[in-house]
Amino acid sequence: MKVSDVNINKSIQSISFYLVQRMSREDGCSEEDALKKLLRTSTYELLYDKESGLYAESPEYVWSMLKEEEKGNMEAWRKK
């Protein structure tokens, strides 16, 4: 079964919303600032790349990738 672009976009939006909410809460910043920070990450770039399939992972999985990227641990990030 082929996943529709609508479903992929909804998944990307849902994961992005989760990431922004969690970043805002954990970093003690506004959602707007969290969104700006997220948009500058390689994790978000990969999430937005539909060919990567990252949109099919859980929000927690993508969050762990984002945290590894923030630590500069791109080697662990690439293995995921």
Side-chain angles (χ1 to χ4, degrees):
M1 181 165 108
K2 187 172 188 300
V3 180
S4 75
D5 281 340
V6 171
N7 288 341
I8 291 171
N9 290 337
K10 284 183 180 180
S11 180
I12 292 169
Q13 288 175 337
S14 177
I15 292 170
S16 297
F17 181 78
Y18 172 86
L19 296 174
V20 167
Q21 293 289 309
R22 189 150 177 194
M23 287 173 75
S24 175
R25 189 172 55 248
E26 291 195 11
D27 294 350
C29 63
S30 69
E31 290 177 10
E32 182 178 342
D33 287 341
L35 177 59
K36 288 177 184 176
K37 184 177 175 182
L38 176 64
L39 293 176
R40 292 189 303 262
T41 66
S42 295
T43 302
Y44 180 76
E45 186 177 324
L46 190 61
L47 175 63
Y48 199 78
D49 178 3
K50 294 176 183 176
E51 290 184 21
S52 75
L54 189 57
Y55 64 83
E57 299 294 343
S58 71
E60 291 81 12
Y61 180 87
V62 180
W63 174 254
S64 70
M65 287 182 68
L66 184 61
K67 296 313 286 181
E68 289 300 324
E69 180 181 354
E70 286 179 352
K71 292 180 200 173
N73 190 2
M74 296 303 283
E75 191 60 36
W77 185 86
R78 287 184 186 102
K79 290 178 184 177
K80 294 185 182 227

